């Protein structure tokens, strides 16, 4: 069974939908591989103007890392390999030379919020819940999410969201500036297409040039160093008793 559905619009959008609705679109290694492949394709292909990332089903955009798989990563080194793999993919998404959108079709939790943070625009279905809840699991963001949040929101706002580690409504996240549009969600893709139409009327060269004007600052050694230091710090927390207990408590509940 496919873990992701990739579709092309004739107007230049590539849609990448995580397709594990029964696991609330949790990210496993197969999803990572497919996302990596899609980002590389969007980078190269001059017919593609924008990438939209979403989830299938009505419940969730993405519930973060697949806890049923990643619970078996017991050592710092094992956790680091997984976190660096996805962190590297999100870094390439952040610095992709085409504009990107997270189309949040439902709950976004943990790594799901990090995935959305790597995108340039975040549009959410009304009523969606957004939770940078990693702190409540005894870890931190581990895919570069905090570093990206500090780039994209005012410092105190970003820190407040991370330290609270609560689920926040899309409407509130719009007020904070993390969500850029709250959509009714009757036909989410069409609502998204309408918002993107003015951008898509530009040539791919113009879109690429503006995106590179933004992304160059994230290609500095200093930024990369901060991004991957966050990943290393999360790896160290991964094997803690607090984190193991939090994962077991979730898995035993469901
Ligand atoms: C890399 C680091 C990180 O990403 S840390 C963050 C990890 N993620 C989480 O803690 C989120 C865990 N999931 C949840 O809180 C809930 O499932 C959310 C997303 C709110 C959805 O709730 P609800 O609609 O009631 O569904 P549910 O809990 O009954 O789950 C349905 C089935 O999906 C599964 N599922 C869900 N999330 C994950 C996940 N992250 N990894 C693995 N499996 C997940 C549940 O276990 C459940 O499976 P089953 O039907 O019992 O087999």
């Amino acid at each position: 069974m496919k873990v992701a559905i990739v579709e092309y619009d004739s107007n230049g959008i590539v849609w990448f939908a995580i397709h594990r609705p029964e696991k609330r679109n949790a990210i496993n290694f197969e999803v990572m591989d497919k996302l990596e492949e899609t980002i590389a394709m969007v980078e190269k292909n001059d017919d593609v103007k924008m990438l939209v990332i979403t989830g299938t089903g009505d419940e969730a955009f993405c519930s973060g890392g697949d806890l049923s798989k990643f619970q078996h990563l017991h050592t710092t080194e094992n956790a680091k390999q997984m976190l660096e793999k996805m962190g590297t993919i999100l870094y390439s998404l952040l610095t992709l030379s085409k504009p990107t959108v997270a189309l949040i079709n439902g709950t976004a939790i943990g790594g799901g919020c990090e995935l959305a943070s790597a995108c340039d625009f975040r549009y959410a279905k009304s009523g969606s819940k957004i939770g940078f809840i990693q702190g409540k699991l005894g870890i931190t963001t581990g895919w570069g999410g905090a570093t990206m949040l500090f780039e994209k929101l005012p410092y105190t706002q970003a820190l407040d969201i991370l330290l609270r580690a609560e689920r926040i409504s899309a409407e509130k996240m719009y007020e904070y500036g993390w969500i850029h549009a709250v959509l009714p969600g009757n036909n989410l893709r069409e609502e998204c297409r309408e918002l993107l139409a003015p951008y898509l009327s530009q040539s791919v060269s113009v879109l690429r040039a503006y995106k590179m004007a933004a992304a160059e600052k994230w290609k500095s050694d200093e930024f990369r160093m901060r991004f991957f230091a966050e990943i290393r710090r999360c790896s160290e927390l991964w094997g803690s008793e607090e984190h193991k207990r939090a994962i077991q408590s979730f898995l035993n509940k469901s």
Side-chain angles (χ1 to χ4, degrees):
M1 168 140 163
K2 279 187 176 179
V3 296
I5 300 174
V6 182
E7 291 165 280
Y8 307 77
D9 262 13
S10 54
N11 59 6
I13 303 177
V14 165
W15 302 86
F16 177 93
I18 305 174
H19 183 49
R20 305 186 72 211
E22 74 293 350
K23 295 286 174 200
R24 301 299 181 262
N25 296 322
I27 294 180
N28 60 13
F29 287 117
E30 288 77 21
V31 175
M32 291 183 196
D33 289 341
K34 198 69 196 162
L35 181 59
E36 184 175 30
E37 191 185 295
T38 303
I39 292 168
M41 180 275 288
V42 170
E43 184 68 70
K44 274 198 216 116
N45 189 331
D46 278 344
D47 294 330
V48 178
K49 292 185 170 180
M50 296 191 72
L51 170 63
V52 178
I53 296 179
T54 190
T56 61
D58 293 331
E59 308 276 353
F61 167 69
C62 173
S63 60
D66 186 329
L67 297 178
S68 61
K69 298 286 174 224
F70 299 161
Q71 64 168 324
H72 304 298
L73 304 173
H74 292 304
T75 66
T76 297
E77 194 45 45
N78 287 344
K80 188 159 156 279
Q81 281 171 13
M82 179 281 285
L83 295 170
E84 274 183 350
K85 179 176 167 75
M86 188 59 184
T88 302
I89 294 167
L90 291 194
Y91 181 79
S92 66
L93 179 59
L94 178 74
T95 55
L96 183 69
S97 71
K98 313 270 176 78
T100 56
V101 177
L103 183 59
I104 301 174
N105 55 302
T107 309
I109 299 282
C113 299
E114 302 190 62
L115 171 62
S117 296
C119 294
D120 299 309
F121 302 102
R122 283 165 289 284
Y123 304 152
K125 184 173 81 176
S126 173
S128 300
K129 288 279 191 280
I130 317 294
F132 282 87
I133 52 76
Q134 287 88 336
K136 291 217 163 84
L137 300 179
I139 54 170
T140 61
T141 50
W143 291 343
T147 309
M148 293 187 282
L149 202 62
F150 285 122
E151 286 294 301
K152 295 187 174 188
L153 288 190
Y155 169 68
T156 321
Q157 190 69 78
L159 192 62
D160 180 68
I161 289 170
L162 294 168
L163 297 185
R164 281 180 186 278
E166 288 167 349
R167 292 184 200 181
I168 302 173
S169 68
E171 286 73 8
K172 199 68 175 167
M173 288 297 261
Y174 176 76
E175 284 173 29
Y176 293 168
W178 189 80
I179 292 287
H180 304 103
V182 178
L183 303 172
N186 301 321
N187 186 343
L188 201 57
R189 286 202 183 191
E190 210 38 58
E191 291 157 21
C192 177
R193 275 194 193 94
E194 276 175 32
L195 289 176
L196 299 184
Y199 309 151
L200 294 166
S201 69
Q202 312 296 337
S203 71
V204 71
S205 313
V206 167
L207 296 178
R208 198 192 282 273
Y210 275 131
K211 180 61 194 289
M212 290 323 295
E216 286 303 335
K217 69 177 167 180
W218 297 317
K219 292 191 166 178
S220 69
D221 289 345
E222 187 268 343
F223 180 82
R224 274 187 68 91
M225 191 267 293
R226 283 195 282 129
F227 192 98
F228 286 96
E230 174 189 332
I231 292 173
R232 279 196 303 281
R233 280 192 292 270
C234 182
S235 322
E236 283 157 21
L237 294 173
W238 194 274
S240 68
E241 285 309 314
E242 184 184 357
H243 183 231
K244 285 183 199 155
R245 269 200 307 277
I247 292 189
Q248 285 317 317
S249 147
F250 170 71
L251 292 173
N252 294 338
K253 190 172 60 165
S254 50

